């Protein structure tokens, strides 16, 4: 008599294999599960300058703001970035980016909370030790060639939908573990900025608002067709063009960008496009590779989920209904692009 397969045993074996696959694909997610509470409640053991710490390890430093590496009593290390108490926007954005990654399942963003340390308040994010220094150009470019296509696509799609316009190795931790390359996305405060963009292009980021502009265009779409360009935007040239309309600090910051500075005046605001022409490590948040699971998760993103993701930022000046609508509009651009590519592939497969 022929032995019939034990369906229950096969089912259990299959479940174990699936669980092992998910575990290996989301290794950090399992390691990070209990870290939020640890970050919130565990006492501080010591704190050192993040800049000094990185230099001591022979790594490059790419930031100017005050950043501290904190060690908690249980040995957990975290990165603390204080912000002005009257403007917690950057910290709120960091927390929201983490919560968004938890909802979508991508990309890998370390647990992040808001905490007060030594009378300063800011974001506290679990520190992830890199295995490769992405600020070494040759290292970064080689990693991007070797990383799993789904991993890179998920990162780019997240960046586009949620508006992380400041892309590059300075905002990524590269960690290789169990023959898998992880791209851990850090410093996502840029998602707080309002922006307008066509998928495949570079965002126009709102950098300053001024009532004196009185544009009377709130009912109009973003005027991509009215872009103006400033060549070699020195502080003197920017001051001559804009006069006293915008703060000196804003103009000085914009003067740091070499080459060309495309800009638009819209809705009483100055919107600029950071071209990053001199930075080969900058990549546009666009891909022709669309993991099916990624698209399915993006389709579940709605106003209710976004309001939950950004719930901690209630009352912050950047969190408006227009801001939420803009995220969904960028999500729709991605889905439309996916459907176009998918339909094209289906036509090709059918001859």
């Amino acid at each position: 008599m022929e032995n019939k397969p034990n369906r229950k045993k096969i089912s259990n074996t299959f479940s174990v294999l699936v669980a092992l696959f998910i575990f290996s694909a989301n290794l950090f997610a399992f390691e990070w599960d209990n870290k939020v509470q640890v970050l919130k409640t565990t006492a501080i053991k010591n704190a050192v300058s993040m800049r000094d710490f990185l230099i001591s390890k022979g790594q490059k430093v790419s930031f100017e703001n005050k950043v501290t590496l904190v060690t908690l009593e249980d040995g957990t290390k975290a990165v603390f970035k204080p912000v002005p108490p009257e403007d917690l926007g950057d910290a709120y954005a960091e927390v929201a980016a983490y919560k968004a990654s938890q909802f979508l399942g991508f990309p890998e963003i370390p647990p992040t909370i808001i905490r007060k340390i030594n009378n300063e308040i800011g974001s506290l994010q679990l520190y992830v030790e890199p295995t490769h220094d992405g600020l070494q150009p040759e290292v970064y470019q080689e990693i991007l060639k070797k990383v799993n296509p789904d991993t890179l696509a998920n990162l780019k799609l997240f960046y586009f939908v949620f508006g992380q316009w400041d892309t590059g190795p300075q905002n990524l931790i590269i960690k290789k573990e169990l023959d898998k390359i992880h791209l851990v996305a850090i410093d996502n405060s840029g998602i707080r900025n309002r922006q307008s963009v066509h998928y495949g292009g570079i965002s126009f980021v709102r950098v300053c608002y001024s009532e004196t502009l009185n544009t009377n265009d709130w009912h109009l779409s973003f005027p991509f067709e009215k872009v103006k360009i400033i060549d070699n935007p020195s502080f003197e040239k920017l001051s001559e063009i804009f006069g006293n309309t915008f703060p000196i600090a804003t103009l000085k910051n914009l003067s740091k960008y070499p080459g060309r500075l495309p800009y638009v005046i819209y809705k009483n605001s100055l919107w600029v496009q950071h071209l990053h022409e001199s930075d080969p490590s900058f990549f546009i948040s666009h891909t022709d590779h669309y993991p099916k699971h990624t698209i399915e998760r993006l389709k579940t993103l709605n106003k209710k989920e976004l309001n939950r993701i950004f719930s901690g930022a209630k009352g912050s000046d950047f969190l408006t209904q227009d801001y939420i609508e803009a995220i969904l509009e960028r999500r729709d651009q991605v889905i439309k692009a996916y459907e176009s590519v998918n339909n094209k592939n289906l036509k090709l497969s059918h001859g």
Side-chain angles (χ1 to χ4, degrees):
M1 180 177 180
E2 182 181 358
N3 290 328
K4 294 183 179 180
N6 187 325
R7 293 183 179 180
K8 184 176 182 180
K9 185 175 181 180
I10 293 174
S11 177
N12 289 340
T13 302
F14 179 74
S15 297
V16 170
L17 290 173
V18 170
L20 286 173
F21 173 77
I22 293 173
F23 177 80
S24 62
N26 300 280
L27 182 64
F28 291 150
F30 285 85
E31 292 179 347
W32 293 346
D33 273 349
N34 67 336
K35 288 299 183 180
V36 170
Q37 195 61 27
V38 170
L39 293 175
K40 286 181 178 179
T41 61
T42 308
I44 308 296
K45 184 177 180 179
N46 60 51
V48 297
S49 162
M50 191 68 187
R51 177 181 298 276
D52 293 344
F53 173 75
L54 293 176
I55 291 174
S56 72
K57 294 175 69 65
Q59 296 179 13
K60 288 189 175 183
V61 177
S62 64
F63 55 86
E64 297 178 358
N65 297 335
K66 179 181 178 181
V67 183
T68 303
L69 180 67
V70 171
T71 302
L72 305 180
E73 287 290 351
D74 70 340
T76 298
K77 286 183 170 57
V79 180
F80 179 61
K81 289 185 286 186
V83 294
E86 68 276 6
D87 181 13
L88 299 179
D90 282 3
Y92 288 147
E94 293 267 26
V95 173
Y98 165 65
K99 291 171 68 175
S101 74
Q102 291 292 289
F103 171 74
L104 293 172
F106 64 88
E108 292 178 302
I109 296 179
T112 311
I113 65 159
I114 293 177
R115 183 166 171 174
K116 193 172 186 178
I117 299 176
N118 294 332
N119 295 320
E120 291 184 304
I121 191 168
S123 63
L124 185 66
Q125 184 174 81
L126 183 71
Y127 173 67
V128 177
E129 181 80 31
T131 57
H132 298 70
D133 186 357
L135 291 176
Q136 302 290 343
E138 64 282 359
V139 172
Y140 180 67
Q141 296 301 334
E142 282 302 307
I143 286 294
L144 291 188
K145 292 176 185 177
K146 296 177 181 178
V147 73
N148 184 291
D150 285 7
T151 298
L152 186 56
N154 286 345
L155 178 69
K156 289 183 175 184
L157 293 173
F158 179 88
Y159 276 177
F160 180 80
V161 172
F162 278 88
Q164 170 53 307
W165 54 272
D166 189 14
T167 68
Q170 71 279 6
N171 292 331
L172 286 175
I173 296 293
I174 300 171
K175 190 173 183 69
K176 187 175 181 180
E177 199 160 286
L178 296 181
D179 294 324
K180 179 179 179 179
I181 298 173
H182 300 265
L183 298 180
V184 181
I186 61 171
D187 197 8
N188 291 289
S189 60
I191 72 169
R192 72 174 291 188
N193 297 123
R194 288 294 304 277
Q195 47 202 280
S196 293
V197 60
H198 287 146
Y199 187 52
I202 301 176
S203 297
F204 279 88
V205 180
R206 187 176 73 172
V207 297
C208 198
Y209 178 89
S210 176
E211 291 281 0
T212 61
L213 290 169
N214 195 27
T215 55
N216 294 318
D217 56 3
W218 295 84
H219 59 295
L220 301 176
S221 300
F222 190 86
F224 289 100
E225 72 284 357
K226 294 184 178 180
V227 176
K228 296 182 179 180
I229 296 177
I230 302 174
D231 290 312
N232 301 314
S234 65
F235 174 72
E236 291 73 23
K237 185 177 289 188
L238 292 169
S239 298
E240 182 180 340
I241 294 172
F242 297 118
N244 298 321
T245 304
F246 305 112
I248 290 176
T250 298
L251 301 185
K252 284 186 175 180
N253 187 50
L254 292 176
S255 68
K256 296 177 183 178
Y257 290 87
R260 298 175 300 141
L261 185 69
Y263 77 95
V264 169
I265 300 296
Y266 173 62
K267 290 187 175 181
N268 289 352
S269 302
L270 172 65
W271 305 66
V272 304
Q273 190 179 52
H274 303 301
L275 293 180
H276 300 274
E277 291 175 320
S278 61
D279 185 1
S281 65
F282 171 80
F283 61 72
I284 296 176
S285 298
H286 174 268
T287 180
D288 290 322
H289 177 67
Y290 300 94
K292 186 175 180 181
H293 178 71
T294 297
I295 297 302
E296 293 305 314
R297 290 305 297 163
L298 285 174
K299 287 180 178 180
T300 65
L301 195 63
N302 53 38
K303 286 184 181 180
K304 179 180 179 181
E305 288 299 337
L306 285 172
N307 284 325
R308 182 189 62 79
I309 288 169
F310 287 93
S311 59
K314 284 183 179 178
S316 183
D317 61 353
F318 78 84
L319 188 62
T320 64
Q321 276 307 113
D322 281 349
Y323 175 87
I324 296 295
E325 292 285 355
I327 293 175
L328 293 174
E329 189 273 334
R330 292 193 294 271
R331 186 277 311 270
D332 291 343
Q333 287 191 53
V334 167
I335 292 175
K336 184 177 180 181
Y338 158 75
E339 290 173 344
S340 176
V341 170
N342 197 42
N343 290 336
K344 183 178 179 180
N345 290 338
L346 284 174
K347 289 181 180 177
L348 290 174
S349 66
H350 287 86

